[in-house]
Amino acid sequence: MEKSIKKYWPIFVLPTFAAFIIGFIVPFIEGIYLSFCKFTTIRDASFMGLSNYVEAFKDNTFTHAFGFTAVFAVVTLVLINVLAFAIALALAQKIKGTNIFRTIFFMPNLIGGIVLGYIWQLIFDGIFEKFDLALKLSAKLGFWGLVILICWQQIGYMMIVYIAGLQAIPGSLNEAAMIDGANKWQRLIHVTIPNMMPSITICTFLTITNSFKLFDQNLSLTGGEPMHQTEMMALNIYDTFYGRVGYEGVGQAKAVIFFIIVVAIGMIQLYATKSKEVQQ
């Protein structure tokens, strides 16, 4: 079997590799080229140099969207991971009904972002109208509405990852710490968390990249209102590309900048948390 696999592996890899090239690599390279062009369709693209990037950085809505997204990513990074880890610790105990609670917490992750946004919009509007407030008329309410929505959706998924990490920790380590006189807090800090670093790496990476790439929920919950104050980077790129005539090249330039930012932040985060794993 191994000889056959080694001999014929190109036959099985080639279709997937070809699909990857056609569906991702070619559009990606073409998108980078178009970011330097003025165009309405691909066939009428004319090279413009760096003017699209200059316009992108001059756009106040884009710089505000970056700041808004960065703050949102930091807040959700902390809240999602702290709450998911706390819930995982609680559900990792040998108590009745843990499987039911795991399912309940995980279920919001199965709902589509657009649907989820409209559901929470109805909930928030029903609450705020009693106080003569509206979600789309307040940037602060819009921000915290997005935070609550994304936490509700993603905590259950991260909880599952943390539970898997907790179950992988050898029981002998905690037993040895107990024998040495360590209390629950000391065991958590010096035994559990160090051994959970692979799970923490995965969850922090997913949380921060998902927060930066957030689009569906932003579109359906606030739509960037009021006056682009709750508009995140992905929605700002969408509005630029499809909502402004003649700004397709600027929207494409924003998309390239967005890609570089997300990759850079993701790599920095991975390096930071991976280094902790090595030390442990």
Side-chain angles (χ1 to χ4, degrees):
M1 180 65 73
E2 287 186 21
K3 290 181 180 179
S4 298
I5 291 173
K6 290 179 180 179
K7 185 177 180 180
Y8 297 107
W9 68 268
I11 297 174
F12 299 99
V13 172
L14 186 60
T16 303
F17 183 69
F20 178 74
I21 295 293
I22 296 170
F24 179 79
I25 298 298
V26 172
F28 178 75
I29 295 172
E30 191 168 16
I32 293 176
Y33 169 72
L34 289 173
S35 70
F36 296 97
C37 300
K38 183 177 181 179
F39 66 96
T40 52
T41 64
I42 295 175
R43 296 187 179 183
D44 68 355
S46 58
F47 190 79
M48 298 290 290
L50 294 173
S51 60
N52 287 333
Y53 288 90
V54 174
E55 288 295 325
F57 284 112
K58 283 183 178 179
D59 189 348
N60 292 331
T61 63
F62 185 60
T63 54
H64 178 272
F66 172 73
F68 184 86
T69 306
V71 174
F72 175 84
V74 172
V75 172
T76 54
L77 175 68
V78 174
L79 289 177
I80 289 174
N81 285 281
V82 170
L83 293 174
F85 187 74
I87 294 170
L89 282 174
L91 296 182
Q93 307 300 318
K94 296 180 179 179
I95 56 177
K96 292 182 179 180
T98 54
N99 289 333
I100 296 174
F101 284 112
R102 291 179 191 180
T103 303
I104 292 171
F105 280 115
F106 182 77
M107 284 179 67
N109 190 69
L110 303 177
I111 304 174
I114 290 288
V115 175
L116 199 62
Y118 285 125
I119 291 172
W120 276 96
Q121 185 185 93
L122 292 172
I123 294 172
F124 286 133
D125 286 343
I127 295 171
F128 293 147
E129 69 176 359
K130 296 181 179 179
F131 303 96
D132 293 326
L133 299 171
L135 189 70
K136 291 187 176 183
L137 296 179
S138 170
K140 289 184 179 179
L141 291 178
F143 174 83
W144 288 109
L146 285 167
V147 169
I148 292 170
L149 185 156
I150 203 67
C151 285
W152 188 76
Q153 183 183 28
Q154 292 190 9
I155 282 174
Y157 184 87
M158 304 306 166
M159 173 204 70
I160 296 297
V161 178
Y162 282 130
I163 287 174
L166 287 169
Q167 292 175 340
I169 300 175
S172 57
L173 293 178
N174 275 307
E175 291 175 5
M178 290 176 66
I179 292 171
D180 289 339
N183 56 36
K184 290 184 178 180
W185 179 253
Q186 291 171 328
R187 294 200 302 273
L188 175 66
I189 298 299
H190 299 291
V191 177
T192 303
I193 292 179
N195 284 279
M196 287 285 292
M197 282 310 300
S199 297
I200 293 173
T201 297
I202 294 170
C203 289
T204 51
F205 177 79
L206 290 175
T207 305
I208 200 165
T209 53
N210 287 340
S211 296
F212 266 91
K213 296 186 299 179
L214 195 70
F215 173 75
D216 294 359
Q217 297 89 333
N218 189 200
L219 176 65
S220 57
L221 184 67
T222 67
E225 298 297 336
M227 298 295 292
H228 302 283
Q229 292 298 303
T230 61
E231 189 174 69
M232 301 180 73
M233 292 185 73
L235 182 58
N236 181 267
I237 293 168
Y238 174 84
D239 285 340
T240 302
F241 195 95
Y242 293 104
R244 303 186 196 177
V245 178
Y247 275 76
E248 291 84 359
V250 178
Q252 191 63 42
K254 288 182 178 182
V256 173
I257 296 168
F258 178 55
F259 169 77
I260 294 171
I261 290 172
V262 172
V263 170
I265 291 173
M267 295 302 293
I268 292 169
Q269 179 270 320
L270 281 176
Y271 175 79
T273 51
K274 280 284 185 181
S275 63
K276 297 292 182 180
E277 290 182 37
V278 173
Q279 291 175 7
Q280 297 302 333

